[in-house]
């Protein structure tokens, strides 16, 4: 991607940092924070019997976090590190940082579950089943495909159901403790619009979503062809009616995959030359052809095209409202979780 697109991309990640923080809260789908974390054993090590050692790494009020809890949280992401090809020292540093973040997330999870129990927040087995069925449907998973996915990430059905239950409890807890207390007024939206003219320059803007498949560094022609074939298959499925957002969550190797590939808004002049022509020639609500880059292949979905004449239209107001809401949600969430931690008895034993 071009320099300007990267800058916009970074801005988008800042806006969605609460999403990542919340996902860390219950460790569901946080590929962004722990992509590239796993150290694989050598072939010789793989042939040795594995010695299982477990111990308590943290005490959270009357609950505990085990070393095995951290190890289990890492397992689903082993597939991602294989595509990172990080230098050994970098991988080691990222792993150490990730383990600290995961431990913090597990502590937050324990605090959240304790708080939910105190508030009488429960999630039934039926709610978990309905959420799981909805997820399988959105991801286009048959029962056999779902079982294969669980095998790949090293989880049982019961373990995955527990993750889904945690996510549902998190949603109810946040709605009770945080979301219901946030209000963004029209006056705040208008003030933001007036105070940030650089964000709303006149001209044509594109709301883009993206799917990325990476090719390994130094890939051979047949490796690139295999990645291209997969991307073309994804492209065909979307053209046949599959949800772009669901396909992004399932296949994209972008840092915004968990948001359905949402990159946000870009002015036409800020688009990189490598993608500009494809995007401006793609109708609103349609996808570009597969675009080859130096690092792999991309597909863009043109969610909407906005011709800004300098007035505060409803879509722009909606974007500002969402941005302000997320900022307030971020602040309140961090304050709330800090209060929980301050009032809790937490002891780290690592």
């Amino acid at each position: 991607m071009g320099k300007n697109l990267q800058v916009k991309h970074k801005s988008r990640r800042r806006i969605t940092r609460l999403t990542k923080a919340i996902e860390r809260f219950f460790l569901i789908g946080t590929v962004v924070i722990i992509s590239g974390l796993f150290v694989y054993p050598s072939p010789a090590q793989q042939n040795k019997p594995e010695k299982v050692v477990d111990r308590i790494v943290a005490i959270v009020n009357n609950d505990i976090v085990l070393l095995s809890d951290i190890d289990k949280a890492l397992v689903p992401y082993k597939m991602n590190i294989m595509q990172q090809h990080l230098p050994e020292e970098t991988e080691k540093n990222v792993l150490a940082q990730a383990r600290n973040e995961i431990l913090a997330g597990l502590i937050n999870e324990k605090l959240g579950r304790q708080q939910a129990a105190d508030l009488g927040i429960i999630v039934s087995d039926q709610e978990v089943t309905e959420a799981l069925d909805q997820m399988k449907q959105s991801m286009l998973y048959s029962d056999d495909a779902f079982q294969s996915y669980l095998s790949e990430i090293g989880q049982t059905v019961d373990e995955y159901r527990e993750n889904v239950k945690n996510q549902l409890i998190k949603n109810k807890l946040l709605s009770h403790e945080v979301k219901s207390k946030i209000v963004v007024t029209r006056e705040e939206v208008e003030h933001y619009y007036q105070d940030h003219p650089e964000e709303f320059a006149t001209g044509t803007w594109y709301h883009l979503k993206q799917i990325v498949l990476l090719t390994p560094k130094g890939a051979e022609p047949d490796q690139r062809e295999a990645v291209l074939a997969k991307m073309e298959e994804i492209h065909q499925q979307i053209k046949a009616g599959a949800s772009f957002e669901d396909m992004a969550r399932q296949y994209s190797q972008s840092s915004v995959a968990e948001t359905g590939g949402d990159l946000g808004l870009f002015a036409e002049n800020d688009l990189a030359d490598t993608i500009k022509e494809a995007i401006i020639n793609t109708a609103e609500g349609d996808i570009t052809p597969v675009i080859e880059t130096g690092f792999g292949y991309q597909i863009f979905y043109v969610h909407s095209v906005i011709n800004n004449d300098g007035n505060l239209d409803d879509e722009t107001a909606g974007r500002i409202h969402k941005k302000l809401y997320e900022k307030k949600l971020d602040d309140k969430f961090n304050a709330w979780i800090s209060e929980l931690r301050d009032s809790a008895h937490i002891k780290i034993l690592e």
Side-chain angles (χ1 to χ4, degrees):
M1 300 170 67
K3 180 178 179 181
N4 290 326
L5 187 53
Q6 290 175 335
V7 171
K8 293 282 186 177
H9 193 128
K10 292 178 181 177
S11 176
R12 178 66 187 177
R13 289 202 297 270
R14 287 197 296 270
I15 295 172
T16 58
R17 68 187 184 279
L18 175 60
T19 301
K20 299 171 188 175
I22 291 174
E23 293 299 339
R24 283 200 298 270
F25 186 76
F26 281 107
L27 295 173
I28 305 282
T30 44
V31 176
V32 172
I33 63 166
I34 55 178
S35 61
L37 305 183
F38 307 89
V39 179
Y40 281 85
S42 66
Q45 290 172 322
Q46 289 175 348
N47 292 329
K48 291 181 179 180
E50 187 173 321
K51 184 178 181 180
V52 179
V53 179
D54 206 357
R55 59 186 173 84
I56 297 172
V57 295
I59 299 172
V60 186
N61 291 324
N62 296 320
D63 209 342
I64 60 174
V65 177
L66 296 173
L67 178 62
S68 58
D69 295 330
I70 297 177
D71 292 338
K72 285 181 181 179
L74 288 171
V75 169
Y77 308 101
K78 287 184 177 179
M79 294 179 292
N80 295 292
I81 187 57
M82 296 176 67
Q83 299 165 345
Q84 303 301 319
H85 304 288
L86 298 172
E88 182 177 352
E89 188 63 25
T90 301
E91 186 175 286
K92 180 179 178 181
N93 292 336
V94 173
L95 177 60
Q97 179 182 354
R99 284 188 173 275
N100 289 334
E101 291 188 11
I102 290 173
L103 175 57
L106 285 168
I107 291 172
N108 289 348
E109 176 189 334
K110 299 294 184 183
L111 291 172
R113 292 296 292 264
Q114 293 165 11
Q115 182 75 354
D118 290 344
L119 294 170
I121 294 174
I122 60 174
V123 169
S124 68
D125 288 342
Q126 181 63 29
E127 288 177 285
V128 175
T129 298
E130 290 175 357
L132 188 57
D133 288 343
Q134 184 178 6
M135 182 278 297
K136 288 163 63 177
Q137 183 178 3
S138 69
M139 299 291 282
L140 305 177
Y141 276 150
S142 64
D143 289 339
D144 289 342
F146 180 63
Q147 288 294 338
S148 296
Y149 169 70
L150 291 180
S151 297
E152 288 176 0
I153 65 174
Q155 285 192 358
T156 65
V157 173
D158 288 342
E159 288 171 338
Y160 198 86
R161 284 181 63 89
E162 185 65 19
N163 286 344
V164 173
K165 185 175 183 178
N166 283 341
Q167 181 74 12
L168 294 174
I169 290 174
K170 177 205 72 176
N171 290 340
K172 289 186 177 183
L173 187 58
L174 288 178
S175 294
H176 185 280
E177 293 292 294
V178 180
K179 292 182 180 179
S180 61
K181 301 174 184 177
I182 298 175
V183 176
V184 177
T185 67
R186 176 69 183 189
E187 184 178 15
E188 289 176 299
V189 170
E190 291 176 350
H191 282 167
Y192 186 92
Y193 181 76
Q194 294 168 3
D195 293 341
H196 299 81
E198 72 284 355
E199 292 186 27
F200 310 102
T202 57
T204 303
W205 289 71
Y206 296 89
H207 184 173
L208 302 176
K209 299 185 180 184
Q210 173 199 52
I211 293 175
V212 175
L213 291 186
L214 303 175
T215 51
K217 293 180 179 178
E220 297 294 332
D222 60 335
Q223 291 177 296
R224 292 190 67 87
E225 288 175 6
V227 176
L228 174 58
K230 182 62 180 178
M231 184 63 101
E232 288 176 339
E233 178 185 340
I234 293 170
H235 191 275
Q236 291 172 1
Q237 291 186 51
I238 297 171
K239 281 291 190 180
S243 164
F244 186 94
E245 291 80 4
D246 291 341
M247 298 297 278
R249 293 186 186 99
Q250 184 173 359
Y251 295 111
S252 183
Q253 295 165 333
S254 163
S255 62
V256 294
E258 82 283 358
T259 69
D262 199 337
L263 291 171
L265 278 174
F266 297 90
E268 182 176 321
N269 292 335
D270 287 335
L271 295 173
D273 293 338
T274 53
I275 65 172
K276 179 184 289 189
E277 183 176 358
I279 288 173
I280 64 178
N281 289 318
T282 299
E284 182 174 282
D286 204 352
I287 60 175
T288 66
V290 175
I291 301 171
E292 183 176 6
T293 68
F295 56 81
Y297 298 91
Q298 302 181 78
I299 301 171
F300 289 92
Y301 172 58
V302 181
H303 180 269
S304 59
V305 181
I306 303 167
N307 293 306
N308 185 13
D309 59 3
N311 294 318
L312 180 57
D313 57 73
D314 290 342
E315 181 163 354
T316 301
R319 288 192 288 109
I320 296 173
H321 185 282
K322 181 181 179 182
K323 185 173 185 176
L324 295 178
Y325 180 88
E326 288 177 344
K327 176 63 169 63
K328 288 188 176 185
L329 186 59
D330 193 355
D331 293 342
K332 283 189 175 293
F333 174 82
N334 289 333
W336 175 69
I337 204 69
S338 293
E339 289 175 4
L340 286 182
R341 294 180 73 104
D342 289 343
S343 62
H345 170 69
I346 301 173
K347 185 175 182 179
I348 307 296
L349 303 178
E350 278 198 317

Coordinates of all heavy atoms in Angstrom, one line a residue, residues 39-109:
V39 N 6.6 -19.9 19.0 CA 7.9 -20.6 18.6 C 7.6 -22.0 18.4 O 7.1 -22.7 19.3 CB 8.9 -20.4 19.8 CG1 10.2 -21.0 19.5 CG2 9.1 -18.9 20.1
Y40 N 7.9 -22.5 17.2 CA 7.7 -23.9 16.9 C 8.9 -24.8 17.3 O 10.1 -24.4 17.1 CB 7.5 -24.1 15.4 CG 6.1 -23.7 15.1 CD1 5.7 -22.4 14.8 CD2 5.1 -24.7 15.0 CE1 4.4 -22.1 14.5 CE2 3.8 -24.4 14.7 CZ 3.5 -23.0 14.5 OH 2.2 -22.7 14.2
P41 N 8.7 -26.0 17.9 CA 9.8 -26.9 18.2 C 10.5 -27.4 17.0 O 9.9 -27.5 15.9 CB 9.1 -28.0 19.0 CG 7.7 -28.0 18.5 CD 7.4 -26.6 18.2
S42 N 11.7 -27.8 17.1 CA 12.5 -28.4 16.0 C 11.9 -29.8 15.8 O 11.3 -30.4 16.7 CB 13.9 -28.4 16.4 OG 14.1 -29.3 17.5
P43 N 12.2 -30.4 14.6 CA 11.8 -31.7 14.4 C 12.3 -32.7 15.5 O 11.5 -33.6 15.8 CB 12.4 -32.1 13.0 CG 12.5 -30.7 12.3 CD 12.9 -29.8 13.4
A44 N 13.5 -32.5 16.0 CA 14.0 -33.4 17.0 C 13.2 -33.2 18.3 O 12.8 -34.2 19.0 CB 15.5 -33.0 17.3
Q45 N 12.8 -32.0 18.6 CA 12.0 -31.7 19.8 C 10.6 -32.3 19.7 O 10.0 -32.8 20.6 CB 11.9 -30.2 20.1 CG 13.2 -29.6 20.6 CD 13.1 -28.1 20.6 OE1 12.5 -27.5 19.8 NE2 13.8 -27.6 21.6
Q46 N 10.1 -32.3 18.4 CA 8.7 -32.8 18.2 C 8.7 -34.3 18.4 O 7.6 -34.8 18.8 CB 8.3 -32.5 16.7 CG 8.1 -31.0 16.5 CD 7.8 -30.7 15.1 OE1 8.0 -31.5 14.2 NE2 7.3 -29.5 14.8
N47 N 9.8 -35.0 18.3 CA 9.8 -36.4 18.5 C 10.0 -36.8 19.9 O 9.8 -38.0 20.3 CB 10.9 -37.0 17.6 CG 10.6 -36.9 16.1 OD1 9.5 -36.9 15.7 ND2 11.7 -36.8 15.3
K48 N 10.3 -35.9 20.8 CA 10.5 -36.2 22.2 C 9.2 -36.2 22.9 O 8.3 -35.4 22.6 CB 11.4 -35.2 22.8 CG 12.9 -35.2 22.4 CD 13.7 -34.2 23.1 CE 15.2 -34.3 22.7 NZ 16.0 -33.2 23.3
P49 N 9.0 -37.1 23.9 CA 7.8 -37.0 24.7 C 7.6 -35.7 25.4 O 8.6 -35.1 25.9 CB 8.0 -38.1 25.7 CG 9.0 -39.0 25.2 CD 9.9 -38.1 24.3
E50 N 6.4 -35.1 25.3 CA 6.2 -33.8 25.9 C 5.9 -33.9 27.4 O 5.1 -34.6 27.9 CB 5.0 -33.2 25.2 CG 4.8 -31.7 25.6 CD 3.7 -31.1 24.7 OE1 3.6 -31.4 23.5 OE2 2.9 -30.3 25.3
K51 N 6.7 -33.2 28.1 CA 6.5 -33.1 29.6 C 5.6 -32.0 30.0 O 5.9 -30.8 29.6 CB 7.9 -33.0 30.3 CG 7.8 -33.0 31.8 CD 9.2 -32.9 32.4 CE 9.1 -33.0 33.9 NZ 10.5 -32.8 34.5
V52 N 4.5 -32.3 30.6 CA 3.5 -31.3 30.9 C 3.8 -30.8 32.3 O 3.8 -31.5 33.3 CB 2.1 -31.9 30.9 CG1 1.1 -30.9 31.3 CG2 1.8 -32.5 29.5
V53 N 4.0 -29.5 32.4 CA 4.3 -28.8 33.7 C 3.3 -27.7 33.8 O 3.2 -26.9 32.9 CB 5.7 -28.3 33.8 CG1 5.9 -27.6 35.1 CG2 6.7 -29.4 33.6
D54 N 2.6 -27.6 34.9 CA 1.6 -26.6 35.1 C 1.9 -25.9 36.5 O 2.4 -26.6 37.4 CB 0.2 -27.1 35.0 CG -0.8 -26.0 34.6 OD1 -0.4 -24.9 34.5 OD2 -2.0 -26.4 34.4
R55 N 1.5 -24.7 36.6 CA 1.6 -24.0 37.9 C 0.8 -22.7 37.9 O 0.3 -22.3 36.8 CB 3.1 -23.6 38.1 CG 3.7 -22.7 37.1 CD 5.2 -22.5 37.3 NE 5.8 -21.7 36.2 CZ 5.8 -20.4 36.1 NH1 5.2 -19.7 37.1 NH2 6.4 -19.8 35.1
I56 N 0.5 -22.2 39.0 CA -0.2 -21.0 39.2 C 0.6 -19.8 38.8 O 1.8 -19.7 39.3 CB -0.8 -20.8 40.6 CG1 -1.7 -22.0 40.9 CG2 -1.5 -19.5 40.8 CD1 -2.2 -22.0 42.4
V57 N 0.2 -18.9 37.9 CA 0.9 -17.7 37.6 C 0.3 -16.4 38.1 O 1.0 -15.4 38.2 CB 1.1 -17.6 36.0 CG1 1.9 -18.8 35.5 CG2 -0.2 -17.5 35.3
A58 N -0.9 -16.5 38.6 CA -1.6 -15.3 39.1 C -2.7 -15.7 40.0 O -3.4 -16.7 39.7 CB -2.0 -14.3 38.0
I59 N -2.9 -14.9 41.1 CA -4.1 -15.1 41.9 C -5.0 -13.8 41.8 O -4.5 -12.7 41.9 CB -3.7 -15.2 43.4 CG1 -2.8 -16.5 43.6 CG2 -4.9 -15.3 44.3 CD1 -2.2 -16.6 45.0
V60 N -6.2 -14.0 41.5 CA -7.2 -12.9 41.2 C -8.3 -13.1 42.2 O -9.3 -13.9 42.0 CB -7.7 -12.9 39.8 CG1 -8.5 -11.7 39.5 CG2 -6.5 -13.0 38.8
N61 N -8.3 -12.4 43.3 CA -9.2 -12.5 44.4 C -9.2 -14.0 44.8 O -8.2 -14.5 45.3 CB -10.6 -12.1 44.0 CG -10.7 -10.6 43.8 OD1 -10.0 -9.8 44.6 ND2 -11.4 -10.1 42.8
N62 N -10.3 -14.7 44.7 CA -10.4 -16.1 45.1 C -10.2 -17.1 43.9 O -10.5 -18.2 44.0 CB -11.7 -16.4 45.8 CG -11.8 -15.7 47.1 OD1 -10.8 -15.6 47.8 ND2 -13.0 -15.2 47.4
D63 N -9.7 -16.6 42.8 CA -9.5 -17.3 41.6 C -8.1 -17.4 41.2 O -7.2 -16.6 41.8 CB -10.3 -16.7 40.4 CG -10.8 -17.8 39.4 OD1 -10.2 -18.9 39.4 OD2 -11.7 -17.5 38.6
I64 N -7.7 -18.2 40.3 CA -6.3 -18.4 39.9 C -6.2 -18.4 38.3 O -7.1 -18.7 37.6 CB -5.7 -19.7 40.4 CG1 -6.4 -20.9 39.9 CG2 -5.6 -19.6 42.0 CD1 -5.7 -22.2 40.3
V65 N -5.0 -18.0 37.8 CA -4.7 -18.2 36.4 C -3.5 -19.2 36.4 O -2.5 -19.0 37.1 CB -4.3 -16.8 35.8 CG1 -3.8 -17.1 34.4 CG2 -5.4 -15.8 35.9
L66 N -3.6 -20.2 35.5 CA -2.6 -21.2 35.4 C -1.8 -21.0 34.2 O -2.2 -20.3 33.2 CB -3.3 -22.6 35.3 CG -4.1 -23.1 36.5 CD1 -4.8 -24.4 36.1 CD2 -3.2 -23.3 37.7
L67 N -0.5 -21.5 34.2 CA 0.3 -21.4 33.1 C -0.3 -22.1 31.9 O -0.2 -21.6 30.7 CB 1.7 -22.1 33.4 CG 2.7 -22.1 32.2 CD1 3.1 -20.7 31.8 CD2 3.9 -23.0 32.6
S68 N -1.1 -23.1 32.1 CA -1.7 -23.8 31.0 C -2.8 -22.9 30.4 O -3.1 -23.1 29.2 CB -2.4 -25.1 31.5 OG -3.3 -24.9 32.5
D69 N -3.4 -22.0 31.2 CA -4.4 -21.1 30.6 C -3.7 -20.2 29.6 O -4.3 -19.9 28.5 CB -5.0 -20.2 31.7 CG -5.8 -21.0 32.8 OD1 -6.4 -22.0 32.4 OD2 -5.8 -20.6 33.9
I70 N -2.5 -19.7 29.9 CA -1.8 -18.9 28.9 C -1.5 -19.7 27.7 O -1.7 -19.2 26.5 CB -0.5 -18.3 29.6 CG1 -0.9 -17.4 30.7 CG2 0.3 -17.5 28.5 CD1 0.3 -16.8 31.5
D71 N -1.0 -20.9 27.9 CA -0.6 -21.7 26.7 C -1.8 -22.0 25.8 O -1.7 -22.0 24.6 CB 0.0 -23.0 27.2 CG 1.4 -22.8 27.9 OD1 2.0 -21.7 27.6 OD2 1.8 -23.6 28.7
K72 N -2.9 -22.3 26.5 CA -4.1 -22.6 25.7 C -4.6 -21.4 24.9 O -5.1 -21.5 23.7 CB -5.3 -23.0 26.6 CG -5.1 -24.5 27.1 CD -6.3 -24.9 28.0 CE -6.2 -26.3 28.5 NZ -7.3 -26.6 29.4
A73 N -4.4 -20.2 25.5 CA -4.8 -19.0 24.8 C -3.9 -18.7 23.5 O -4.4 -18.1 22.6 CB -4.7 -17.8 25.7
L74 N -2.7 -19.2 23.5 CA -1.8 -19.1 22.4 C -2.1 -20.1 21.3 O -1.8 -19.8 20.1 CB -0.4 -19.2 22.8 CG 0.2 -18.1 23.7 CD1 1.6 -18.6 24.2 CD2 0.4 -16.8 22.9
V75 N -2.6 -21.2 21.6 CA -2.7 -22.3 20.6 C -3.5 -21.9 19.3 O -3.0 -22.2 18.2 CB -3.4 -23.5 21.3 CG1 -3.8 -24.6 20.2 CG2 -2.5 -24.2 22.3
P76 N -4.6 -21.2 19.4 CA -5.4 -21.0 18.1 C -4.6 -20.1 17.1 O -5.0 -20.0 16.0 CB -6.6 -20.2 18.6 CG -6.8 -20.6 20.1 CD -5.4 -20.8 20.6
Y77 N -3.5 -19.5 17.5 CA -2.8 -18.5 16.7 C -1.6 -19.1 16.1 O -0.8 -18.4 15.4 CB -2.6 -17.2 17.4 CG -3.8 -16.7 18.1 CD1 -4.1 -16.9 19.4 CD2 -4.8 -16.1 17.3 CE1 -5.3 -16.5 20.0 CE2 -6.0 -15.6 17.9 CZ -6.2 -15.8 19.2 OH -7.4 -15.4 19.8
K78 N -1.3 -20.4 16.3 CA -0.1 -21.0 15.8 C 0.0 -20.9 14.3 O 1.0 -20.8 13.7 CB 0.1 -22.4 16.3 CG 0.5 -22.5 17.7 CD 0.7 -24.0 18.1 CE 1.1 -24.1 19.6 NZ 1.3 -25.5 20.0
M79 N -1.2 -21.0 13.6 CA -1.2 -20.9 12.2 C -0.7 -19.6 11.6 O -0.1 -19.5 10.6 CB -2.7 -21.2 11.7 CG -3.2 -22.6 12.0 SD -4.9 -22.8 11.5 CE -5.8 -21.7 12.6
N80 N -1.0 -18.5 12.4 CA -0.6 -17.2 11.9 C 0.9 -17.0 12.0 O 1.5 -16.3 11.0 CB -1.3 -16.1 12.8 CG -2.8 -16.2 12.6 OD1 -3.3 -15.9 11.6 ND2 -3.5 -16.6 13.7
I81 N 1.6 -17.5 13.0 CA 3.1 -17.2 13.0 C 3.8 -17.9 11.9 O 4.8 -17.4 11.4 CB 3.6 -17.7 14.4 CG1 5.1 -17.3 14.6 CG2 3.5 -19.2 14.5 CD1 5.3 -15.9 14.5
M82 N 3.3 -19.0 11.4 CA 3.9 -19.7 10.3 C 4.0 -18.8 9.0 O 4.9 -19.0 8.2 CB 3.1 -20.9 9.9 CG 3.1 -22.0 11.0 SD 2.1 -23.4 10.7 CE 3.1 -24.1 9.3
Q83 N 3.2 -17.8 8.9 CA 3.2 -16.9 7.8 C 3.9 -15.6 8.0 O 4.1 -14.7 7.2 CB 1.7 -16.5 7.4 CG 0.9 -17.8 7.0 CD -0.6 -17.5 7.0 OE1 -1.0 -16.5 7.5 NE2 -1.3 -18.4 6.4
Q84 N 4.5 -15.4 9.3 CA 5.2 -14.2 9.6 C 6.6 -14.2 9.2 O 7.2 -13.2 8.9 CB 5.0 -13.9 11.1 CG 3.6 -13.8 11.6 CD 2.8 -12.7 10.9 OE1 3.3 -11.6 10.7 NE2 1.5 -13.0 10.5
H85 N 7.3 -15.3 9.4 CA 8.7 -15.5 9.1 C 9.5 -14.4 9.8 O 10.4 -13.7 9.2 CB 9.0 -15.4 7.6 CG 8.2 -16.4 6.8 ND1 8.5 -17.7 6.8 CD2 7.1 -16.3 6.0 CE1 7.6 -18.4 6.0 NE2 6.7 -17.5 5.6
L86 N 9.3 -14.2 11.1 CA 10.0 -13.2 11.8 C 11.4 -13.7 12.2 O 11.7 -14.9 12.4 CB 9.3 -12.9 13.2 CG 7.8 -12.4 13.0 CD1 7.2 -12.4 14.4 CD2 7.8 -11.0 12.4
P87 N 12.3 -12.7 12.3 CA 13.7 -13.1 12.8 C 13.6 -13.7 14.2 O 12.7 -13.3 14.9 CB 14.4 -11.7 12.8 CG 13.7 -10.9 11.8 CD 12.2 -11.3 11.9
E88 N 14.5 -14.5 14.5 CA 14.4 -15.3 15.8 C 14.3 -14.3 17.0 O 13.5 -14.5 17.9 CB 15.6 -16.2 15.9 CG 15.6 -17.0 17.2 CD 16.8 -18.0 17.3 OE1 17.5 -18.1 16.3 OE2 16.9 -18.6 18.3
E89 N 15.2 -13.3 17.0 CA 15.1 -12.4 18.2 C 13.8 -11.6 18.2 O 13.3 -11.4 19.3 CB 16.3 -11.4 18.1 CG 16.5 -10.5 19.3 CD 16.9 -11.3 20.6 OE1 17.4 -12.5 20.4 OE2 16.6 -10.9 21.7
T90 N 13.3 -11.2 17.1 CA 12.1 -10.5 17.0 C 10.9 -11.4 17.5 O 10.1 -10.9 18.3 CB 11.7 -10.0 15.6 OG1 12.8 -9.1 15.1 CG2 10.4 -9.2 15.5
E91 N 10.9 -12.6 17.1 CA 9.9 -13.5 17.5 C 10.0 -13.7 19.0 O 8.9 -13.8 19.7 CB 10.1 -14.9 16.8 CG 9.0 -15.9 17.1 CD 9.2 -17.1 16.2 OE1 9.0 -17.1 15.0 OE2 9.6 -18.2 16.8
K92 N 11.1 -13.8 19.6 CA 11.3 -14.0 21.0 C 10.7 -12.8 21.8 O 10.0 -13.0 22.8 CB 12.8 -14.2 21.3 CG 13.1 -14.4 22.8 CD 14.6 -14.6 23.0 CE 14.9 -14.7 24.5 NZ 16.4 -14.9 24.8
N93 N 11.0 -11.6 21.3 CA 10.5 -10.4 22.0 C 9.0 -10.3 21.9 O 8.3 -9.9 22.8 CB 11.2 -9.1 21.4 CG 12.7 -9.1 21.7 OD1 13.2 -9.7 22.7 ND2 13.5 -8.4 20.9
V94 N 8.5 -10.6 20.7 CA 7.0 -10.5 20.5 C 6.3 -11.5 21.4 O 5.3 -11.2 21.9 CB 6.7 -10.7 19.0 CG1 5.2 -10.8 18.8 CG2 7.2 -9.5 18.2
L95 N 6.9 -12.7 21.5 CA 6.3 -13.7 22.3 C 6.3 -13.3 23.8 O 5.3 -13.5 24.5 CB 7.2 -15.0 22.2 CG 6.7 -16.2 23.1 CD1 5.3 -16.6 22.7 CD2 7.6 -17.4 22.9
A96 N 7.4 -12.7 24.3 CA 7.4 -12.3 25.7 C 6.4 -11.2 25.9 O 5.7 -11.2 26.9 CB 8.8 -11.7 26.0
Q97 N 6.3 -10.2 25.0 CA 5.3 -9.2 25.1 C 3.9 -9.7 25.1 O 3.0 -9.3 25.9 CB 5.5 -8.1 24.0 CG 4.4 -7.0 24.1 CD 4.6 -6.0 22.9 OE1 5.6 -6.1 22.1 NE2 3.7 -5.1 22.8
A98 N 3.6 -10.7 24.2 CA 2.3 -11.3 24.0 C 1.9 -12.0 25.3 O 0.7 -12.0 25.7 CB 2.3 -12.2 22.8
R99 N 2.8 -12.7 25.9 CA 2.5 -13.5 27.1 C 2.1 -12.5 28.2 O 1.1 -12.8 28.9 CB 3.7 -14.4 27.5 CG 3.8 -15.6 26.7 CD 4.9 -16.6 27.2 NE 4.9 -17.8 26.5 CZ 4.1 -18.8 26.7 NH1 3.2 -18.7 27.7 NH2 4.2 -19.9 26.0
N100 N 2.7 -11.4 28.3 CA 2.3 -10.4 29.3 C 0.9 -9.9 29.0 O 0.1 -9.7 29.9 CB 3.3 -9.3 29.3 CG 4.7 -9.7 29.9 OD1 4.7 -10.6 30.7 ND2 5.7 -9.0 29.5
E101 N 0.6 -9.6 27.7 CA -0.7 -9.1 27.4 C -1.8 -10.1 27.6 O -2.9 -9.8 28.1 CB -0.7 -8.7 25.9 CG 0.1 -7.4 25.6 CD -0.1 -6.9 24.2 OE1 -1.0 -7.4 23.5 OE2 0.7 -6.0 23.8
I102 N -1.4 -11.4 27.3 CA -2.4 -12.5 27.5 C -2.7 -12.7 29.0 O -3.8 -12.9 29.4 CB -1.9 -13.8 26.9 CG1 -2.0 -13.6 25.3 CG2 -2.8 -15.0 27.3 CD1 -1.4 -14.8 24.6
L103 N -1.6 -12.6 29.8 CA -1.8 -12.7 31.3 C -2.7 -11.6 31.8 O -3.6 -11.8 32.6 CB -0.5 -12.7 32.0 CG -0.5 -12.7 33.5 CD1 -1.3 -13.9 34.0 CD2 0.9 -12.6 34.1
A104 N -2.4 -10.4 31.3 CA -3.3 -9.2 31.7 C -4.7 -9.5 31.3 O -5.7 -9.2 32.0 CB -2.8 -7.9 31.1
G105 N -4.9 -10.0 30.1 CA -6.3 -10.3 29.6 C -7.0 -11.4 30.4 O -8.2 -11.3 30.6
L106 N -6.2 -12.4 30.8 CA -6.8 -13.4 31.6 C -7.2 -12.9 33.0 O -8.2 -13.3 33.5 CB -5.8 -14.6 31.7 CG -5.7 -15.5 30.5 CD1 -4.5 -16.4 30.6 CD2 -7.0 -16.3 30.2
I107 N -6.4 -12.0 33.5 CA -6.8 -11.4 34.8 C -8.0 -10.6 34.6 O -9.0 -10.7 35.5 CB -5.6 -10.5 35.3 CG1 -4.4 -11.4 35.7 CG2 -6.1 -9.7 36.5 CD1 -3.2 -10.7 36.1
N108 N -8.1 -9.8 33.6 CA -9.3 -9.1 33.3 C -10.5 -10.0 33.1 O -11.6 -9.7 33.5 CB -9.1 -8.2 32.0 CG -8.2 -7.0 32.3 OD1 -7.8 -6.7 33.4 ND2 -7.7 -6.4 31.2
E109 N -10.3 -11.1 32.5 CA -11.4 -12.1 32.3 C -11.9 -12.6 33.6 O -13.1 -12.6 33.8 CB -10.9 -13.2 31.4 CG -11.9 -14.3 31.2 CD -11.3 -15.6 30.6 OE1 -10.4 -15.5 29.9 OE2 -11.9 -16.7 30.8

